[in-house]
Structure formats: structure tokens, C-alpha cells
Amino acid sequence: MTNDGQSAHRFSIGENLRFREHPSGLTVGQVATEHCVGEFFVQGAHVTRYQPKYESHPILFLSEESQFEPGKPIRGGIPICFPWFSAHPSDPSLPAHGWARISSWELVSSQRVEDDIQIEFQFFHEPFELGYIVRFGKMFRAGFSVTNTSAKLQSFELALHTYFQISDIASVRIEGDLRSCPFLDQLTANEFQPEYKAITFEKETDRIYEGKASEIRLIDSGWKRTIHINSEGSESTIVWNPWIEKSKRMKDFGDEEYLKMCCIETGNVRRRAVAIAPGETHTTSLKIRSY
Ligand code: BG6
């Protein structure tokens, strides 16, 4: 088991937080509290599971075909896209969605906060100091912060690329603040004015909604549940489902899995990329709960 060569076990909290070695050699943290179960990989500070006790289905989708390999992205959960989103703007040989999701982060602390388990990660990569705090409880919370450690202005994109598990793609709709946001269709590069209606999925969907959308609901009529997604410090929301052909092209994703997931990603990309002055910190945070 590795955590940059050190054991993660010292961050264990009895029955509530344990560490194990995944068959890939990656280090996995497993959370079990009175209110929820959760899981994360130290690589990428990547949360792969969250399920409150009262829920009969996981909140986060994790592909059965995901590769778990050092230096490779995990397909599902909440990958952290940083410092660019999608392909690198000028060098296509660089990893899609940036290096944060495939880097070895460090565990900094773990603690009980009220009935919850909170874990803090960090990662330094000039000119950035990254911090990520996740809290597993009746709700899931995440806070991603970026500090500019250089002497000049730095800009970046970021996304907490959340994969949600759903009953069936035909049974979900997205309601809330996205109704009134314009969006870019990444598949055609066309821009659209707000549609003032719920988002549903009938084909491959890859959209960047622009503007604050701090209150979003993923309504799943199949499982009769609503997932509430609340954010701060986010001015872009990406809505993605690969549909049939793209699912077949993705090696780490089952051909039929597009039926069981959709991504609603909280971040700041494209025109809403963030620029911060020397010493400044930007934070994007997220709360997920279902009822
Ligand atoms: C989404 C993008 O955020 O991530 C899609 O909008 C992309 O264009 C998807 O296909 C998955 O990306 P990746 O690099 O994890 O395969």
C-alpha cells in the first residue's frame, strides 16, 4: 500500500475509516459511519462511493469496466479535473482533464466531525497548491481549493466531475438553476440561450452550462429519489452522457452503462476559467444529498 511511499494507516479512525490495498496497488480508504458508507482512492483524491444508510442505491456511479491503475483515471465517482478541462488547449499529448486526477495526492488529516468523517488531501504542483476536503455523513461535502504560489497571475479550469448512479436514463430529469443558464453544446460547438425547462437525455449529451447554478436537482422517478446538488464558487456546470456509440468507444466503460449514469459536473471552465493573483486562493465546493 502506498501513500507517496508512506502508509495511510495512521489516518485510520477505528471502524469508521479503514485503509486497504486495492489489487492494483492503489490505496483505498473505506468510510463506514452510522449514517453512510463511502470510499476514496488516495490517487487523484478520488471519491468513488457514497451511499447514505437510508438509500437503497449508491449515489455515485462507478463503472464495472473502470481500470484501476497507477497513473490512469478511474471511470466514475468524482474525478478532479484540473488545471484544464477536456483536451489541453494547445498540446493534445497532455492528459485529458489535466493531471490532478491521475496524480498521487497526500493525505493530510482525517477526523470525526460531529457524526461525519472528514478527510483532507493536498497536492503541490508548481505554481499551484491544491487542497481537497471531503466529508462523508448524512450528506456528502467536498471543497476543492487552489492557491497560487507563484509571483504572477495564474489561470486554470477545474471540475468536480461527478458521476451519478441513476435507475435509467429515460427516468431522470435535471431541474433547478440550469434552466436559466445558456449553454455550449460541446458536440457541435453551437451556443444556446437558456431553455427554461428540465434537462432530459435522448441522445449523446455534452454541454457546458454557463453561470452560477448553486441549486440543481437530479430527479429520478424510477428510484423515486431526488439528488440535491448545491455548489459555491462554481460558474460552469457540465452535463454529460456518452450514449450508445461513445460508450462502445470507451474502453473503461460498459456498452450499456450509459443507461445507469449521468454526470453533473461542478466547476469553472472555458469563459469561466479562474484567474488568481499571487498568494490568492480560489475554492469551489459541493454538497450532495438525497431525499
Ligand atoms: C466530460 C466531457 O466532462 O468528460 C466529455 O464534457 C468527456 O467531453 C467526458 O468525454 C469524459 O472524459 P474522460 O477524459 O474521462 O474520458
Side-chain angles (χ1 to χ4, degrees):
M1 182 187 297
T2 59
N3 171 30
D4 275 347
Q6 292 167 11
S7 169
H9 284 296
R10 65 197 170 97
F11 295 99
S12 302
I13 307 179
E15 302 277 298
N16 297 142
L17 176 61
R18 295 168 179 276
F19 288 88
R20 69 177 174 91
E21 185 176 344
H22 186 267
S24 60
L26 295 173
T27 302
V28 188
Q30 287 177 314
V31 176
T33 74
E34 201 187 318
H35 301 298
C36 73
V37 290
E39 184 185 80
F40 59 88
F41 282 70
V42 177
Q43 172 175 289
H46 193 136
V47 172
T48 46
R49 186 172 183 209
Y50 170 62
Q51 185 169 354
K53 283 278 165 71
Y54 56 81
E55 270 292 350
S56 33
H57 304 281
I59 298 288
L60 301 178
F61 166 87
L62 179 63
S63 171
E64 287 180 11
E65 305 291 324
S66 180
Q67 300 163 346
F68 296 94
E69 275 182 58
K72 290 270 170 65
I74 294 169
R75 177 69 67 196
I78 315 182
I80 299 176
C81 306
F82 180 88
W84 60 88
F85 178 76
S86 257
H88 187 274
S90 57
D91 184 349
S93 71
L94 291 173
H97 288 325
W99 38 256
R101 65 175 175 169
I102 51 172
S103 296
S104 298
W105 287 58
E106 263 181 69
L107 281 169
V108 180
S109 70
S110 62
Q111 57 181 305
R112 283 196 185 90
V113 180
E114 297 164 358
D115 292 340
D116 301 352
I117 291 294
Q118 178 170 295
I119 299 120
E120 184 178 355
F121 305 84
Q122 69 182 17
F123 186 60
F124 295 95
H125 186 301
E126 267 185 37
F128 301 115
E129 182 184 323
L130 307 184
Y132 191 47
I133 299 179
V134 294
R135 178 168 162 182
F136 295 87
K138 281 184 192 150
M139 75 169 93
F140 171 80
R141 303 172 218 228
F144 175 66
S145 61
V146 183
T147 302
N148 177 0
T149 61
S150 77
K152 55 179 195 179
L153 191 75
Q154 296 290 345
S155 58
F156 52 84
E157 296 175 295
L158 72 99
L160 301 177
H161 187 312
T162 312
Y163 287 74
F164 290 99
Q165 174 106 37
I166 54 176
S167 64
D168 186 274
I169 195 70
S171 304
V172 296
R173 65 180 201 277
I174 301 171
E175 291 276 11
D177 291 343
L178 293 180
R179 278 174 163 264
S180 48
C181 294
F183 64 91
L184 166 72
D185 181 346
Q186 297 220 85
L187 302 169
T188 60
N190 291 329
E191 302 207 30
F192 292 85
Q193 289 308 306
E195 292 189 324
Y196 300 107
K197 62 174 192 185
I199 301 163
T200 53
F201 298 89
E202 283 104 34
K203 57 183 179 183
E204 182 178 356
T205 303
D206 193 349
R207 297 177 176 180
I208 300 176
Y209 286 82
E210 196 173 313
K212 275 197 175 48
S214 42
E215 197 273 305
I216 298 174
R217 277 162 283 138
L218 174 59
I219 299 171
D220 187 331
S221 57
W223 284 343
K224 297 190 174 33
R225 78 174 180 190
T226 298
I227 298 177
H228 297 255
I229 305 152
N230 294 98
S231 63
E232 282 175 32
S234 160
E235 298 200 359
S236 312
T237 306
I238 301 91
V239 174
W240 180 59
N241 181 284
W243 215 249
I244 302 166
E245 294 309 320
K246 184 154 182 169
S247 296
K248 289 185 184 157
R249 290 198 301 274
M250 293 195 299
K251 288 200 199 78
D252 58 349
F253 190 81
D255 290 359
E256 309 268 292
E257 285 188 319
Y258 75 95
L259 295 165
K260 307 297 285 179
M261 57 69 71
C262 67
C263 288
I264 302 174
E265 309 166 30
T266 305
N268 293 285
V269 307
R270 307 296 183 251
R271 284 197 287 252
R272 301 298 175 120
V274 178
I276 51 175
E280 230 178 49
T281 299
H282 165 87
T283 301
T284 293
S285 57
L286 176 66
K287 282 183 192 162
I288 299 172
R289 63 196 129 170
S290 73
Y291 44 85

